[in-house]
Amino acid sequence: GELVADHQNLHPSELDPENPLHAFFNREPGLGELSDLNENNPEVLDYFVAAYSQWLDQGVDAFRIDTIAHMPNAYWKAFSDRIREKRPGLFMFSENFAYDADAIAPNTWVENGQISVLDFPGKQAMNRVFADGADYNELAGYLHLESGLYHNPYELMTFYDNHDMDRMDADTNGFIDANNWLFTSRGIPAVYYGSEIGFEAGTNEHTGNRNYFGQDNVDRAPSHPIHAALTRIANIRKNSVALQRGLQVYTGFGPRTASFFRVYQKDGVRQSALVLLNGSDETVTMEFDQLPANGAWKDAVTGHVVQVDDDFTGQVEEIAPHGVRVYLNEMPIIHPAFVELLDAAQAARVRRKTP
């Protein structure tokens, strides 16, 4: 058959709307020199549903949609409905290159297809904190844990750089701190190739960002301190349902520290995680005077266990420079105030904003 995505190298204004091939495209220039698909032609939707259905038949788990803002929401609603008829509940996320949460959130709404997004506001905040040295409290603004803006903020794809922008211009500790935050806070982390060793830090897509990584870098990566720290925190997340899916509550920040709980309770599975982050060059002490559940709280980083019972009066922990501690517990939440907080957090995460 003919390649549909080819309008014979004609300028869009020269396309013939009576030509079935040309009718796949709009007659106004789109993004750069890329073909601009005609969202009003039902054959376009049929073509892409059929094309992506072939990937579903081969067992793919999810779709990433590029430049979603260049097609209207009605198109994506129709596309997602038809794709999910074939694969109910399929996760899809998209790129809407905007640093304004109000601009990207509508893509996540049910009436627009319920397609998650890359968290560009989060990327911007993380670069300010982990590359430029801003205080950790600048991370709070992009989370939207209780704003009701996103359909589900926990499904956003979180990242600090990618192929279409400057790589994060951080030092080794900055990358370690960023990954410790990325893999413990809300969202689904996405790490760009090379960031595991700080590859080409600070370069843009035309001056090194997309350079060939090479076998030498592959070979030396396991011994790099960023890679070692990333492997550790990624494996902790891999083995913790609370870090993957739990509500994030009691988030507190110091100038270069953060602490919060992640709590998951569903279908008889329960786990709580207490996360303590230190992004400073000095050892810090962090004190907590109450934990929401009794029993053993085991640090997934060091193996240290804190035993909590009704007589528990508090604990002081030392966190190493650019370190992380993740205490895990699988007992029921017992403190009434914490139960009330979780109920409120669960209700608050649901979208409430309207167009």
Side-chain angles (χ1 to χ4, degrees):
E2 294 184 54
L3 181 63
V4 173
D6 176 12
H7 50 56
Q8 302 167 326
N9 291 322
L10 296 173
H11 189 273
S13 63
E14 299 176 37
L15 298 177
D16 178 5
E18 301 303 318
N19 182 321
L21 179 59
H22 293 186
F24 262 68
F25 308 97
N26 289 316
R27 300 183 67 197
E28 297 291 333
L31 176 63
E33 297 181 2
L34 299 177
S35 301
D36 188 34
L37 293 163
N38 181 2
E39 68 275 11
N40 297 312
N41 183 346
E43 293 185 10
V44 171
L45 179 61
D46 291 343
Y47 177 85
F48 281 100
V49 169
Y52 280 90
S53 292
Q54 294 184 56
W55 289 106
L56 293 179
D57 292 340
Q58 295 181 58
V60 300
D61 294 317
F63 288 155
R64 179 198 186 275
I65 298 172
D66 199 40
T67 60
I68 196 171
H70 292 272
M71 295 286 270
N73 289 329
Y75 175 88
W76 294 117
K77 171 61 173 171
F79 175 83
S80 64
D81 283 352
R82 289 179 60 179
I83 288 294
R84 289 182 177 128
E85 284 178 9
K86 188 175 182 69
R87 179 77 70 77
L90 179 75
F91 181 71
M92 292 185 273
F93 73 96
S94 61
E95 179 220 41
N96 185 344
F97 203 130
Y99 293 108
D100 179 3
D102 288 321
I104 66 176
N107 297 117
T108 72
W109 298 351
V110 172
E111 63 267 33
N112 296 331
Q114 195 178 329
I115 298 169
S116 189
V117 289
L118 286 157
D119 194 344
F120 279 86
K123 176 267 174 191
Q124 189 176 54
M126 280 187 266
N127 275 251
R128 285 199 298 263
V129 171
F130 301 117
D132 301 337
D135 285 356
Y136 268 42
N137 60 18
E138 290 206 21
L139 297 168
Y142 82 84
L143 294 174
H144 286 278
L145 299 177
E146 299 179 359
S147 72
L149 180 61
Y150 295 102
H151 172 72
N152 182 355
Y154 292 89
E155 292 185 345
L156 269 63
M157 304 297 297
T158 48
F159 71 110
Y160 46 75
D161 61 16
N162 68 20
H163 60 290
D164 282 333
M165 58 186 62
D166 293 358
R167 284 180 178 266
M168 187 167 70
D169 193 13
D171 60 16
T172 293
N173 287 331
F175 277 99
I176 291 172
D177 295 337
N179 290 327
N180 285 339
W181 167 260
L182 190 68
F183 280 78
T184 55
S185 59
R186 79 100 173 103
I188 304 170
V191 178
Y192 186 37
Y193 89 92
S195 292
E196 70 272 23
I197 63 169
F199 180 65
E200 297 287 0
T203 60
N204 66 33
E205 61 269 35
H206 303 298
T207 62
N209 174 309
R210 304 176 184 177
N211 279 357
Y212 176 59
F213 193 61
Q215 189 60 48
D216 288 345
N217 281 323
V218 172
D219 292 341
R220 76 184 186 93
S223 62
H224 197 284
I226 299 175
H227 186 284
L230 173 58
T231 299
R232 179 186 63 194
I233 196 61
N235 279 320
I236 290 172
R237 178 188 175 91
K238 178 182 178 181
N239 293 305
S240 170
V241 67
L243 294 184
Q244 294 173 33
R245 301 183 180 185
L247 293 171
Q248 181 172 337
V249 294
Y250 274 138
T251 305
F253 298 101
R256 301 297 300 171
T257 62
S259 62
F260 50 90
F261 288 95
R262 300 291 305 274
V263 181
Y264 181 86
Q265 297 181 114
K266 185 177 181 181
D267 299 332
V269 177
R270 56 177 176 256
Q271 186 181 68
S272 300
L274 169 63
V275 178
L276 307 173
L277 301 172
N278 177 18
S280 75
D281 293 330
E282 306 292 335
T283 297
V284 300
T285 58
M286 302 180 77
E287 182 175 2
F288 44 96
D289 58 10
Q290 188 178 66
L291 289 170
N294 286 347
W297 288 76
K298 184 176 181 180
D299 183 9
V301 178
T302 67
H304 178 240
V305 175
V306 175
Q307 288 289 345
V308 176
D309 56 26
D310 292 339
D311 297 324
F312 181 73
T313 58
Q315 183 79 17
V316 177
E317 291 295 328
E318 288 192 347
I319 317 299
H322 308 286
V324 56
R325 306 286 287 273
V326 181
Y327 281 93
L328 300 174
N329 174 279
E330 297 181 0
M331 298 297 289
I333 302 296
I334 59 172
H335 292 287
F338 205 93
V339 172
E340 183 177 340
L341 176 71
L342 290 174
D343 290 341
Q346 177 69 14
R349 75 169 183 83
V350 178
R351 175 200 160 196
R352 300 184 301 284
K353 296 293 180 69
T354 57

